Amino acid sequence: MIGMKISSQINEGITVFVLDGRLDVNTSPAVEGELLKAVAPDCMLLIDMSKCDYVSSAGLRVLLVIAKQLAKAGANGALLGLVEDVRDVMQMTGFDNIFKNYETFGEAAQALKGAGT
Amino acid sequence: MTRVDTYPTHKYNEFNLRHGNPLPFGAQIVSGGVNFSIYSTHAASCELALFKKREKEPYAVIPFPDEFRIGNVFSMIVFDLDYEDIEYGFRMDGPFDFAQGHWFNRSKILLDPYAKAIGGRDVWGREPDWKDSYQYRARIAFDDFNWEDDRPLEIPMNDLIIYEMHVRGFTRHQSSNVRYPGTFAAIREKIPYLKELGVNCIELMPIYEFDEFENSRISPVNGERLMNYWGYSTVGFFAPKAGYAATGKYSMQVDEFKALVKDLHSHGMEVILDVVFNHTAEGNENGPYISFRGIDNKIYYMLTPGGYYYNFSGCGNTLNCNNPIVRNMILDCLRYWAAEYHVDGFRFDLATILGRSQDGSPMNNPPLLETLAFDPVLGKCKLIAEAWDAGGLYQVGSFPSWGRWAEWNGKYRDDLRKFLKGEEGFAGAMAQRIQGSPDLYNPDYRGSCASINFVTCHDGFTLMDLVSYNWKHNDANGEGNNDGSNDNYSWNCGVEGGTEDYGVNFLRRKQIKNAVSMLLLSRGVPMLLSGDEMGNTQFGNNNAYCQDNEISWLDWNLLNTNHDIFNYFKKMIAFRKAHPAVRGMDSNRGGFEDNGYPGISWHGARAWSADFSSFSRLLGIMFCGKRKDASGITRDDFVYIAMNMHWEMHGFELPQLPEGFSWHVFANTDMDSPQDIWEDGQEKPLGNQREVLAGPRSVVVLVGK
């Protein structure tokens, strides 16, 4: 079974999670658990997807749940560096409007900080 | 709080199990596992076969313990399954007795009739491994979706303009210029086009999982591979076709189709599904075991006393629609599409079969049709019947409706075609059709909303071919040109097929515009065939069910070639929307408006005097009603349509308008584009207010304002 490495760091006040691997039914519970721990009022959360080359139906739903929880907490989140195939899948399945995707950390940081003010 | 029934009670090898929930049928993700439930009256035992995705052999076969069966339902929860990456099937044991209708065979892996997603044909046209004993493989689908505030649109029938479309054919041609041609996702890319055209309802030819390779063969005529392109042969009633989804290779067809419905809704367009409940893909006595045959043959199919399949569908078998079990399955299925997919309505293929009893005889009050008419979940869904079947039963105008069912009005199509080609004596019939066929649909009961008006549909000639061919040209289908209808009422305008002759081509375009004028200015619900608005041709093939190639695919380059046709369609659709008097309500039928004019009146060479004789090819009609002008003030509105289907020019004396009103020309099909049709509000004043001249085989549309 191919797993997923989840790492995180705080950069410019933004909690950045790097998802390295496949986001599917096997790895989704861990991703959900880790990321939801970071959800707090006014937090800024960035999910670096540049090393995630596959997101399954379960994975899409985890991203949606995180987005909903962020919204509930009045916090902001974004995606970073979606690979083309994953971006296409999210668009075609209607999961593309839950998070905005940015190509660079700088763009994402600017947007997240801007949204919070 | 954790439920007490979320823990296993049984063990089979390494699998943890417990009693399942008999309802709902199918496979449901539950806390910690998956609930499997399947019905069979006559099976002695049942096993669950679990496969890793796309692997040929099951990695586990788990028998349903006897104590897990409740009534005739086998149900079981299996814990800790990797439900995204498995496929499942059932094996049933029971009697094999042909004369009694039993076909149990424990060696066969059977598809769950309630499978919500099906693998095996994930990518359209990819040759399957025929040695695989399990061809159509049930998968477990997520039911949840981020619908936000979407729901079915509930557009009133009077206001509906249906566009019948084949998912693949719509964008498969390279000229479509979309990212993933031939898919649900590609339709979303074309939403701006559909909005510009102005339609507000998309009717999709079958999207239930079917096998494009069913009866696949090489054409002896041109060497092309012939496929089950249309898909009127269901494998799984609850599953969208994976091969129609760009994401089908990832098993995400459910989400992709939902995203399409949501997007269409957000742009004001409904979605109607063409559903095929009259038969299944299991064919006749020589067909394959897919599902029903091995689960409970005698229940699911209509059988002769000797155990053979009745064939009212013309496709080998007939689903036993008025058996209570099958009835419930159909109801479950439609509720599922309405509730889970937010689908707005259904068009039932060969719906007359749904009104046959278990011995095949027509019923007076078929329970299935009544159930669907009154079902709470389907309460606002459009229900549209193709009111005939292959067994010779023709019910246009008499389909049991309970005031809910609409019908494809085959008589509308035929009468309009005959009138259009200049057959004499059809002015009277045309008058019936244009006012919503009150001779078929009693205005006091069902009314014109029961009439789905059309000139063309997937079955038959395209509109361009209707005016370009006298005869069908189906040789490419490899059936010696014996397939497809011979009763097309078409006329080639002087030359069979494509031609460079200017006069012939002008006449063809005129006839197309004549036809769409009549269609969009008729009461009832207009339905357009996708591609007619760009003059699409199937090169004379009137039964392209097997042609997965340029015969069927829309060539989007035609939008440039035939821009005048597109422009005419677009403006005529906008005109229909802008003039409530045309769409009409049954309440004012035969009555008078407060200005003293009748809501509908009939005319001819002389005003107020229509010629309904057996020699007539002329008809004038005036609609009177109200519309709001640009400043929002409600004013009287008059629309006059002069239809001259004679090959010589004729004058139509015009009814006199109230003081302050005068006639303006909105459309004249005898004129070259762009003088053939005008924008709403830009109509040109008519020089002679007493008479309008309609050129040979022409339609002139006037507005009184």
Side-chain angles (χ1 to χ4, degrees):
Chain A
M1 188 183 297
I2 305 161
M4 150 92 61
K5 275 192 286 185
I6 309 167
S7 58
S8 68
Q9 59 182 64
I10 294 177
N11 193 349
E12 296 183 25
I14 297 168
T15 308
V16 183
F17 281 92
V18 180
L19 306 187
D20 183 352
R22 292 162 60 90
L23 182 55
D24 59 19
V25 72
N26 296 306
T27 59
S28 289
V31 171
E32 184 175 342
E34 284 296 310
L35 270 66
L36 285 184
K37 272 191 248 169
V39 173
D42 301 324
C43 79
M44 290 182 286
L45 197 148
L46 184 63
I47 309 171
D48 183 344
M49 301 285 287
S50 59
K51 292 178 181 166
C52 177
D53 58 3
Y54 175 72
V55 178
S56 74
S57 298
L60 291 172
R61 282 159 175 79
V62 163
L63 294 178
L64 181 61
V65 166
I66 293 164
K68 299 268 185 207
Q69 290 299 322
L70 282 167
K72 202 170 161 186
N76 295 303
L79 303 182
L80 178 62
L82 276 177
V83 301
E84 189 181 2
D85 200 32
V86 173
R87 196 180 57 214
D88 279 358
V89 164
M90 290 183 74
Q91 195 272 329
M92 289 185 286
T93 53
F95 283 78
D96 55 333
N97 60 350
I98 51 179
F99 282 120
K100 275 197 172 165
N101 175 56
Y102 298 93
E103 292 307 313
T104 66
F105 176 79
E107 289 168 0
Q110 195 178 4
L112 285 172
K113 289 173 185 172
T117 56
Chain B
M1 193 174 136
T2 308
R3 288 173 60 100
V4 295
D5 57 2
T6 53
Y7 299 98
T9 55
H10 291 59
K11 203 160 174 67
Y12 180 81
N13 296 336
E14 74 272 28
F15 292 95
N16 291 313
L17 315 172
R18 74 171 289 128
H19 280 274
N21 303 310
L23 292 174
F25 294 155
Q28 305 289 323
I29 300 167
V30 295
S31 179
V34 178
N35 187 80
F36 296 94
S37 177
I38 185 163
Y39 148 87
S40 174
T41 295
H42 298 101
S45 64
C46 179
E47 295 164 303
L48 173 70
L50 297 173
F51 297 78
K52 301 283 184 198
K53 207 183 239 184
R54 300 190 179 93
E55 289 195 358
K56 288 194 178 58
E57 296 300 323
Y59 72 92
V61 176
I62 308 172
F64 284 79
D66 281 344
E67 63 267 32
F68 283 12
R69 181 180 54 74
I70 292 183
N72 295 325
V73 182
F74 300 91
S75 56
M76 170 164 72
I77 294 174
V78 185
F79 288 85
D80 306 318
L81 285 178
D82 181 3
Y83 49 79
E84 225 174 27
D85 288 313
I86 64 165
E87 293 163 335
Y88 71 96
F90 297 104
R91 295 201 310 204
M92 296 271 186
D93 204 3
F96 186 94
D97 183 337
F98 184 89
Q100 287 300 312
H102 296 312
W103 284 62
F104 288 100
N105 182 338
R106 200 189 149 200
S107 72
K108 305 288 185 186
I109 307 277
L110 303 166
L111 173 70
D112 181 0
Y114 281 70
K116 307 295 195 308
I118 296 174
R121 299 293 181 270
D122 297 350
V123 177
W124 176 283
R126 183 182 287 170
E127 183 91 27
D129 179 355
W130 295 109
K131 290 185 199 141
D132 191 342
S133 60
Y134 190 34
Q135 289 286 324
Y136 316 104
R137 310 164 71 96
R139 289 181 183 159
I140 295 156
F142 290 86
D143 281 344
D144 53 342
F145 186 74
N146 189 27
W147 283 109
E148 299 177 283
D149 55 358
D150 179 84
R151 66 161 196 162
L153 298 180
E154 300 178 13
I155 296 174
M157 286 293 270
N158 290 71
D159 297 340
L160 214 58
I161 300 169
I162 301 174
Y163 184 84
E164 192 201 25
M165 176 201 293
H166 187 280
V167 171
R168 183 170 166 81
F170 188 55
T171 60
R172 177 58 187 81
H173 197 279
Q174 58 178 3
S175 61
S176 69
N177 203 22
V178 294
R179 196 127 189 245
Y180 294 96
T183 63
F184 298 132
I187 297 174
R188 285 176 70 195
E189 283 192 62
K190 289 292 185 187
I191 286 177
Y193 169 79
L194 295 168
K195 280 199 81 165
E196 186 190 353
L197 179 61
V199 295
N200 57 16
C201 177
I202 310 302
E203 182 169 313
L204 299 174
M205 287 166 66
I207 63 135
Y208 291 176
E209 186 62 57
F210 63 87
D211 184 0
E212 66 271 23
F213 283 96
E214 184 185 344
N215 199 26
S216 175
R217 61 207 186 277
I218 301 298
S219 167
V221 176
N222 57 15
E224 289 244 17
R225 182 186 273 283
L226 303 176
M227 322 241 347
N228 171 27
Y229 171 74
W230 281 355
Y232 286 87
S233 188
T234 307
V235 165
F237 292 107
F238 290 75
K241 177 146 187 64
Y244 278 169
T247 58
K249 60 187 173 186
Y250 301 128
S251 311
M252 292 185 181
Q253 58 269 26
V254 171
D255 286 337
E256 187 174 320
F257 185 62
K258 286 178 177 175
L260 170 63
V261 174
K262 184 180 172 186
D263 211 359
L264 284 167
H265 281 173
S266 73
H267 288 91
M269 279 175 262
E270 294 198 341
V271 179
I272 289 179
L273 300 185
D274 190 341
V275 293
V276 189
F277 287 110
N278 53 76
H279 72 285
T280 77
E282 292 188 306
N284 64 13
E285 294 76 15
N286 300 314
Y289 277 79
I290 296 174
S291 178
F292 304 102
R293 170 172 289 162
I295 292 171
D296 223 336
N297 189 60
K298 191 172 184 160
I299 296 292
Y300 284 109
Y301 292 113
M302 283 188 201
L303 301 177
T304 69
Y308 290 89
Y309 293 105
Y310 276 118
N311 186 16
F312 295 113
S313 66
C315 299
N317 64 52
T318 309
L319 204 64
N320 198 6
C321 293
N322 279 302
N323 174 289
I325 301 293
V326 185
R327 214 159 64 206
N328 281 345
M329 181 188 73
I330 293 172
L331 180 62
D332 288 345
C333 175
L334 296 171
R335 284 176 164 180
Y336 177 71
W337 287 97
E340 288 293 333
Y341 284 89
H342 294 198
V343 156
D344 300 88
F346 304 94
R347 176 267 185 192
F348 295 75
D349 184 59
L350 302 185
T352 288
I353 286 180
L354 277 59
R356 287 184 183 270
S357 69
Q358 296 191 55
D359 64 5
S361 57
M363 305 167 87
N364 283 330
N365 291 298
L368 172 60
L369 299 179
E370 184 179 31
T371 300
L372 299 183
F374 292 103
D375 184 71
V377 178
L378 305 177
K380 297 283 192 292
C381 275
K382 275 88 180 172
L383 302 175
I384 301 169
E386 185 186 35
W388 52 86
D389 68 16
L393 200 54
Y394 190 81
Q395 295 181 302
V396 170
S398 62
F399 191 81
S401 76
W402 291 275
R404 277 281 283 130
W405 284 82
E407 299 173 9
W408 269 24
N409 188 344
K411 204 154 171 46
Y412 181 97
R413 173 197 58 204
D414 295 345
D415 285 346
L416 189 149
R417 287 181 175 196
K418 290 174 191 169
F419 183 63
L420 179 72
K421 74 196 285 259
E423 282 190 26
E424 59 185 11
F426 274 87
M430 205 53 217
Q432 290 289 341
R433 303 302 145 243
I434 285 191
Q435 61 180 310
S437 298
D439 55 337
L440 301 174
Y441 309 107
N442 182 345
D444 296 328
Y445 183 47
R446 276 206 278 179
S448 60
C449 288
S451 177
I452 309 296
N453 299 331
F454 64 106
V455 190
T456 53
C457 63
H458 69 274
D459 213 351
F461 281 137
T462 67
L463 192 49
M464 179 59 89
D465 288 355
L466 186 75
V467 297
S468 305
Y469 294 91
N470 283 351
W471 302 282
K472 65 185 182 184
H473 294 265
N474 298 354
D475 302 274
N477 296 352
E479 298 178 42
N481 205 28
N482 289 314
D483 61 307
S485 176
N486 294 319
D487 301 321
N488 299 296
Y489 312 113
S490 63
W491 178 50
N492 65 17
C493 298
V495 177
E496 186 75 355
T499 175
E500 296 297 314
D501 187 301
Y502 174 83
V504 171
N505 283 327
F506 181 81
L507 179 54
R508 285 177 180 172
R509 283 162 191 271
K510 191 160 64 164
Q511 287 285 70
I512 286 173
K513 293 169 189 175
N514 289 340
V516 79
S517 303
M518 294 176 204
L519 176 62
L520 285 165
L521 300 175
S522 292
R523 291 190 172 171
V525 182
M527 180 177 78
L528 304 167
L529 172 64
S530 167
D532 279 351
E533 77 280 12
M534 55 179 96
N536 184 50
T537 176
Q538 292 181 170
F539 312 100
N541 193 319
N542 78 349
N543 188 31
Y545 73 100
C546 54
Q547 301 292 341
D548 181 28
N549 52 46
E550 300 209 351
I551 291 176
S552 302
W553 302 341
L554 295 201
D555 178 356
W556 290 78
N557 294 317
L558 290 171
L559 269 181
N560 297 324
T561 320
N562 299 324
H563 186 73
D564 62 316
I565 297 176
F566 178 76
N567 181 57
Y568 197 91
F569 270 65
K570 185 173 84 169
K571 293 206 169 79
M572 196 54 82
I573 288 171
F575 186 84
R576 179 180 179 86
K577 288 179 173 174
H579 292 271
V582 173
R583 301 196 301 278
M585 296 298 290
D586 296 300
S587 57
N588 70 8
R589 182 187 307 282
F592 289 83
E593 298 294 313
D594 53 14
N595 57 15
Y597 284 81
I600 301 180
S601 53
W602 305 103
H603 312 269
R606 295 184 57 202
W608 306 104
S609 175
D611 177 4
F612 293 134
S613 73
S614 56
F615 304 106
S616 176
R617 296 185 178 90
L618 263 60
L619 182 62
I621 177 170
M622 183 169 73
F623 293 115
C624 177
K626 307 278 185 198
R627 76 172 290 205
K628 283 187 178 166
D629 66 15
S631 54
I633 299 168
T634 301
R635 301 192 63 194
D636 287 342
D637 185 32
F638 298 88
V639 175
Y640 181 91
I641 310 152
M643 290 168 274
N644 172 23
M645 293 300 108
H646 192 222
W647 46 87
E648 291 173 2
M649 178 181 281
H650 284 273
F652 287 70
E653 186 192 10
L654 293 171
Q656 194 172 351
L657 291 170
E659 199 163 335
F661 285 76
S662 60
W663 289 115
H664 295 66
V665 180
F666 165 65
N668 183 347
T669 62
D670 201 35
M671 301 294 284
D672 273 317
S673 178
Q675 272 82 39
D676 55 345
I677 193 161
W678 304 95
E679 293 279 355
D680 183 31
Q682 303 296 313
E683 300 90 353
K684 301 296 162 199
L686 183 68
N688 180 357
Q689 288 287 312
R690 293 188 175 172
E691 185 186 57
V692 65
L693 292 176
R697 301 183 192 275
S698 296
V699 171
V700 181
V701 183
L702 308 175
V703 289
K705 58 180 186 177

